[in-house]
Amino acid sequence: MEALQRSHPSLIPTLAIIQAGEDDRLLEINKKMSGKVGLNLTQICLPRECTEDEIIEEVLKLNQDPRVHGVYLHLPPVFLTGRVLNTVNPEKDIDGMSDLNVGRLARGDVSQSFTPPTANAVMQLLARNDAPLDGKTVVVVGGEGPLGIALQCLLQRGGMFVHNCHRNSEGLEKQVMRADAVVLLGAERMDIPPTWLRPGASVIHCGSAFLTDECEVDASSSGVGALTAVLRMQNVVQSSSRWAQQQQYRPWILRSLKLQPLSPVPRDIEISRAQTPKAIDQLAQEIGLLQEETEAYGRTKAKVRLSLLDRLREQPDGKYVLVAGITPTPLGEGKSTVTIGLVQALTAHLKLNSFACLRQPSQGPTFGVKGGAAGGGYAQVIPMEEFNLHLTGDIHAISAANNLVAAAIDARMLHEATQTDKALYSRLVPSVNGVRCFSPIQVARLRRLGINETDPSALTPQEVSSFVRLDLDPAKVTWQRVVDTNDRFLRKITVGQANTEKGHMRETQFDIAVASEIMAILALTDGLGDMKTRLGRMVVGSSRSGQPVTAEDLGVSGALAVLMKDAIKPTLMQTLEGTPVFVHAGPFANIAHGNSSVLADKLALKLVGEDGFVVTEAGFGADIGMEKFFNIKCRSSGLRPNVVVLVATVRALKMHGGGPNVSAGSPLPKEYINENLSLVAGGCSTNLKKQIEIAHLFGVPVVVALNVFKTDTQAEIDLVCRIAKESGASDAVPCHHWALGGRGSLDLAQAVKRASNQPNHFQFLYNQEGHKGGLPCFMLFYAILSPPMNSCYK
């Protein structure tokens, strides 16, 4: 106990006792002992006529309570059924009576099991004298059930011969007369006649009966009871010590999945379905997550609870790697594929802990020209269809929350236009059982209005009017409804045409769900409380007097937080090679900051350990996604990147170098199929070089990852790598992950590892104090450092 509290001063082991009836004789022993040792003790008294289901209900509550480290069932034998005993969490089964604990003890796995206190007490009493136990004969009377099995295992492991007998067994007298010790396990009264005992034999009574005075014994029933209580306390301390060890960082024991790449490379969906993913609970265990920290959604994905951040608060972060890309072209450059290929190389081949953090795909692009975002070829997240469709419902939660705000806006405008102040006040602050009171959200609104009253009846008519009327201007409502589909006919609509809306019509529109401000908040928040605050601050429009109106003014911030309570947890998945992936949030870079969530990155940085890597991806090109990652996400999270991986393709560089336009679905012009070094050099000069310079301005080392296509020639590949290094990149390597998986990105993984050890001088390029007139400093930064290079860049 002293050793435990030296390492965990705030941890106090707690024993919970479930008891039926008012018999407190053994209970008092445990109370006294726990007080001496320094344990907490909580008692749950059930009626003597309680049912098995009532006992199980209480046990399940204690299983879920992290403050309880041991559960003791002080119940009559009739209630100690297998169903009840096996309901107790094995980690809290300090009496060692569950099938799992008895099985572990029988196997000899004492490091993970609990020795039943009564059985342990018998062993200690037998060992009181200095005579060796090996070769002794012990008769166990009434040794049925878990306790008898455990005792028999301990006796046999001590080298003793064991004979199990029933109370009424024939030949019991002969067995006892040959025994060196007799153990009475039955709870009922039973006496051993002194004439049955050989000289020097011990009798240990473990039940509630007592021995006759004529017997010469080594222990009485009271002695066993006290020693059993001591050993039960010892198990509680041991349980809490194990719990404390579980809270520490766990080294990974990751089993990678084998890949057998085919040539030619099959379709993405065929590759995904050909691989059998690990069960998600197995993956979670391999990377050090506790069972209570995950919420499974089927077999291959799970939510991870934010309590992990508290548990690993003292754990140093791993290395932080950002994958960005040169200015994108219509055919894409493969940032997601590079991200997946890199983590597969780091973990499955270099045996370094690594995590990929990706955005959740929107249904719009998934069913559009762009398609899904799970990567591609032999570098993708699996199962691909689950990744791309619905996942765990985060985007649906965002849609529900967003449209709740929209509904509240129109409802509020209708009621304010059709009701008096008194009627509105009665709706907003109704009388419940004759009592009216303000909600916390309403009290906050009153404070913003400068009203300090807390009694609803004390407001003046003018204060009531100010409180109930937001006076939203329909022409200045900025909040739109959303749907996660590219439905072009909803881009401009008229609402309020039903007769019940009394002619209050207005024009509005639908945006795509991931364009909601709630999505950007989800990606930037660091916890549920912070998210609720951010949701409340969202501006939904302006009043006729020009004052901003927020979601908090509408009184819906609490409801929004409830709708988003599960969406705030990142989703755990895996790559084709069985390495872990967090999928969370999906803001677009052209309308928001275009990066996955801060929470996913923070959780991953703790899980990988100090020498591990977290690889996260920024949307669009480096000139948007990377800069927003630095300027917005890093400023919000406090995290600092170690390396930038800049993805480029020969095809895109040719386009930036002056090549003809391309479009998805159309044949590629010959310039992109045949070798053309001048176009490649032009693209490197006007685009690749500039993106490397921008990353260096932030003080971060750059590794260029050239995503190789089959149309690329060796001369073109060599040229890109040479120019990238001449432009200041720490390294530039060709990558073949699409065709080979992690093995095709080994050079990239080695280059990233080397670059992560270089000096890092990350800095922000502007402060948050704002500006006085003219362009904001971040816009000046874009204008100076990012001159137009071609039509795509503009």
Side-chain angles (χ1 to χ4, degrees):
M1 184 70 175
E2 291 175 355
L4 176 65
Q5 292 193 328
R6 278 197 300 269
S7 56
H8 300 86
S10 61
L11 177 60
I12 301 178
T14 299
L15 169 64
I17 299 177
I18 298 180
Q19 154 180 357
E22 301 299 327
D23 183 4
D24 289 343
R25 284 177 292 175
L26 276 179
L27 185 62
E28 287 303 318
I29 298 176
N30 286 276
K31 282 185 176 181
K32 291 177 181 178
M33 205 63 63
S34 63
K36 290 181 179 179
V37 176
L39 275 66
N40 282 339
L41 190 141
T42 180
Q43 179 183 2
I44 299 170
C45 288
L46 298 175
R48 187 174 297 276
E49 299 78 20
C50 64
T51 65
E52 188 177 83
D53 288 340
E54 289 175 327
I55 296 171
I56 288 175
E57 184 179 350
E58 295 298 333
V59 170
L60 291 174
K61 291 178 184 177
L62 296 174
N63 285 347
Q64 296 299 319
D65 190 343
R67 298 167 299 178
V68 173
H69 304 99
V71 177
Y72 170 34
L73 301 178
H74 180 41
L75 301 168
V78 67
F79 289 126
L80 297 177
T81 64
R83 181 169 173 241
V84 169
L85 294 176
N86 289 312
T87 300
V88 181
N89 187 326
E91 282 69 38
K92 299 184 180 184
D93 176 28
I94 44 92
D95 265 30
M97 303 296 278
S98 66
D99 290 350
L100 183 58
N101 268 324
V102 172
R104 285 171 173 170
L105 183 65
R107 191 177 60 189
D109 188 6
V110 293
S111 64
Q112 293 298 319
S113 63
F114 289 106
T115 302
T118 301
N120 199 357
V122 169
M123 295 299 295
Q124 293 206 23
L125 290 172
L126 287 174
R128 272 188 171 181
N129 51 33
D130 295 331
L133 298 178
D134 189 30
K136 299 291 185 182
T137 300
V138 180
V139 172
V140 179
V141 182
E144 302 86 2
L147 178 58
I149 295 172
L151 179 59
Q152 182 174 346
C153 291
L154 293 174
L155 292 169
Q156 290 176 339
R157 199 169 295 143
M160 288 170 272
F161 298 100
V162 183
H163 298 282
N164 291 310
C165 301
H166 299 290
R167 179 181 180 181
N168 299 319
S169 298
E170 291 185 11
L172 176 59
E173 180 180 354
K174 292 181 179 180
Q175 294 281 7
V176 170
M177 292 180 69
R178 291 195 295 265
D180 298 294
V182 179
V183 180
L184 306 176
L185 285 182
E188 70 279 1
R189 180 186 177 94
M190 180 180 177
D191 295 331
I192 298 295
T195 56
W196 289 14
L197 296 173
R198 62 188 292 183
S202 303
V203 178
I204 300 177
H205 217 300
C206 301
S208 58
F210 55 89
L211 295 176
T212 59
D213 294 335
E214 293 81 13
C215 287
E216 294 183 5
V217 296
D218 292 326
S220 66
S221 58
S222 60
V224 174
L227 184 55
T228 298
V230 173
L231 296 171
R232 183 173 292 112
M233 300 301 122
Q234 188 178 62
N235 282 354
V236 175
V237 176
Q238 185 179 21
S239 173
S240 59
S241 180
R242 289 177 185 172
W243 179 86
Q245 290 173 3
Q246 286 182 335
Q247 304 308 301
Q248 304 303 309
Y249 176 78
R250 292 182 174 186
W252 288 19
I253 310 175
L254 191 78
R255 177 180 65 87
S256 300
L257 300 179
K258 300 298 181 183
L259 274 187
Q260 294 181 334
L262 301 177
S263 182
V265 176
R267 294 186 306 150
D268 289 352
I269 189 67
E270 293 173 356
I271 295 173
S272 174
R273 290 176 176 174
Q275 183 67 289
T276 302
K278 292 180 284 190
I280 199 64
D281 57 346
Q282 177 191 342
L283 175 63
Q285 184 178 15
E286 289 177 351
I287 62 175
L289 286 166
L290 304 181
Q291 185 176 4
E292 61 267 22
E293 290 171 341
T294 60
E295 300 169 2
Y297 280 64
R299 186 180 177 276
T300 56
K301 53 188 183 292
K303 286 285 191 183
V304 175
R305 295 180 178 175
L306 305 186
S307 58
L308 172 67
L309 286 175
D310 291 328
R311 178 169 70 87
L312 299 182
R313 182 170 50 251
E314 304 302 323
Q315 169 68 20
D317 289 346
K319 305 292 179 63
Y320 199 25
V321 180
L322 173 69
V323 175
I326 62 172
T327 305
T329 63
L331 301 183
E333 279 51 69
K335 294 190 302 297
S336 299
T337 313
V338 169
T339 300
I340 301 304
L342 174 56
V343 296
Q344 288 181 171
L346 286 166
T347 299
H349 298 272
L350 296 185
K351 306 306 178 184
L352 297 169
N353 295 353
S354 74
F355 235 108
C357 291
L358 300 177
R359 291 175 296 165
Q360 180 182 351
S362 165
Q363 183 176 305
T366 296
F367 286 108
V369 173
K370 183 176 180 181
Y378 286 99
Q380 57 174 302
V381 182
I382 57 172
M384 189 185 94
E385 54 268 59
E386 291 189 24
F387 178 92
N388 285 317
L389 302 175
H390 302 293
L391 201 61
T392 50
D394 293 355
I395 293 180
H396 300 311
I398 290 167
S399 299
N402 184 98
N403 293 338
L404 174 65
V405 177
I409 290 170
D410 285 314
R412 186 62 173 262
M413 288 193 297
L414 173 67
H415 290 312
E416 288 188 20
T418 57
Q419 296 185 37
T420 65
D421 290 350
K422 182 179 180 180
L424 282 171
Y425 197 51
S426 296
R427 278 179 174 269
L428 292 172
V429 194
S431 176
V432 180
N433 297 326
V435 178
R436 299 178 76 182
C437 60
F438 294 119
S439 69
I441 289 179
Q442 291 173 335
V443 171
R445 171 162 168 76
L446 288 169
R447 298 297 176 267
R448 290 195 298 274
L449 294 171
I451 302 171
N452 294 320
E453 290 289 349
T454 57
D455 182 2
S457 63
L459 268 62
T460 66
Q462 183 178 357
E463 289 174 335
V464 168
S465 181
S466 298
F467 173 73
V468 300
R469 295 199 178 275
L470 300 178
D471 198 26
L472 266 165
D473 186 344
K476 295 180 181 178
V477 173
T478 55
W479 194 266
Q480 315 296 348
R481 289 165 171 81
V482 298
V483 62
D484 196 33
T485 305
N486 289 335
D487 192 343
R488 63 186 306 124
F489 284 89
L490 293 177
R491 292 175 182 175
K492 187 67 69 176
I493 62 170
T494 302
V495 296
Q497 297 191 54
N499 293 334
T500 53
E501 312 317 314
K502 304 176 182 179
H504 291 277
M505 294 185 292
R506 69 180 184 93
E507 278 195 353
T508 184
Q509 67 188 54
F510 270 84
D511 294 330
I512 196 163
V514 291
S516 171
E517 186 175 347
I518 297 174
M519 173 61 86
I521 286 173
L522 176 65
L524 289 174
T525 190
D526 63 6
L528 198 57
D530 174 67
M531 182 175 67
K532 183 178 178 181
T533 301
R534 290 174 181 264
L535 291 170
R537 290 201 303 254
M538 295 186 305
V539 175
V540 301
S542 300
S543 67
R544 288 182 172 86
S545 62
Q547 295 300 311
V549 177
T550 66
E552 187 82 3
D553 293 324
L554 285 169
V556 298
S557 58
L560 300 181
V562 170
L563 285 171
M564 295 291 292
K565 68 179 178 63
D566 291 319
I568 198 173
K569 305 165 192 170
T571 300
L572 177 67
M573 296 189 74
Q574 63 193 286
T575 68
L576 277 167
E577 297 192 54
T579 65
V581 178
F582 271 142
V583 188
H584 200 214
F588 288 168
N590 56 339
I591 53 175
H593 64 288
N595 284 264
S596 62
S597 77
V598 166
L599 281 171
D601 290 357
K602 285 187 172 182
L603 290 169
L605 285 165
K606 295 298 183 186
L607 284 170
V608 295
E610 193 171 4
D611 298 322
F613 291 81
V614 171
V615 184
T616 190
E617 175 198 348
F620 275 64
D623 44 357
I624 298 182
M626 180 184 73
E627 296 188 35
K628 289 184 174 181
F629 172 84
F630 293 143
N631 294 329
I632 300 174
K633 185 177 181 181
C634 288
R635 197 185 295 272
S636 177
S637 68
L639 302 175
R640 301 293 180 259
N642 297 92
V643 184
V644 167
V645 174
L646 188 63
V647 180
T649 61
V650 168
R651 185 174 62 192
L653 290 170
K654 287 180 178 179
M655 194 177 304
H656 293 310
N661 290 332
V662 298
S663 59
S666 301
L668 283 173
K670 59 180 176 52
E671 287 84 354
Y672 301 106
I673 299 174
N674 302 325
E675 184 176 286
N676 193 318
L677 297 179
S678 62
L679 286 180
V680 172
C684 290
S685 176
T686 60
N687 199 289
L688 179 62
K689 182 178 179 181
K690 177 59 64 175
Q691 310 291 14
I692 295 173
E693 289 177 3
I694 293 173
H696 283 161
L697 285 171
F698 287 93
V700 185
V702 178
V703 174
V704 172
L706 183 62
N707 192 9
V708 176
F709 287 74
K710 63 180 180 181
T711 54
D712 302 343
T713 67
Q714 191 60 47
E716 291 172 332
I717 293 171
D718 293 341
L719 178 61
V720 174
C721 292
R722 178 174 60 81
I723 294 176
K725 293 176 184 177
E726 292 172 353
S727 301
S730 300
D731 209 340
V733 294
C735 302
H736 302 273
H737 45 270
W738 183 79
L740 299 175
R743 185 159 54 88
S745 284
L746 275 173
D747 290 342
L748 175 62
Q750 295 280 17
V752 168
K753 182 182 177 183
R754 290 192 296 269
S756 69
N757 294 319
Q758 293 181 8
N760 190 312
H761 307 289
F762 178 78
Q763 61 177 348
F764 294 114
L765 302 186
Y766 65 90
N767 58 39
Q768 297 184 88
E769 278 67 40
H771 61 284
K772 295 181 179 179
L775 286 171
C777 40
F778 74 89
M779 291 182 64
L780 286 170
F781 169 67
Y782 277 101
I784 294 170
L785 297 179
S786 303
M789 298 175 188
N790 55 31
S791 58
C792 180
Y793 193 94
K794 293 177 185 178

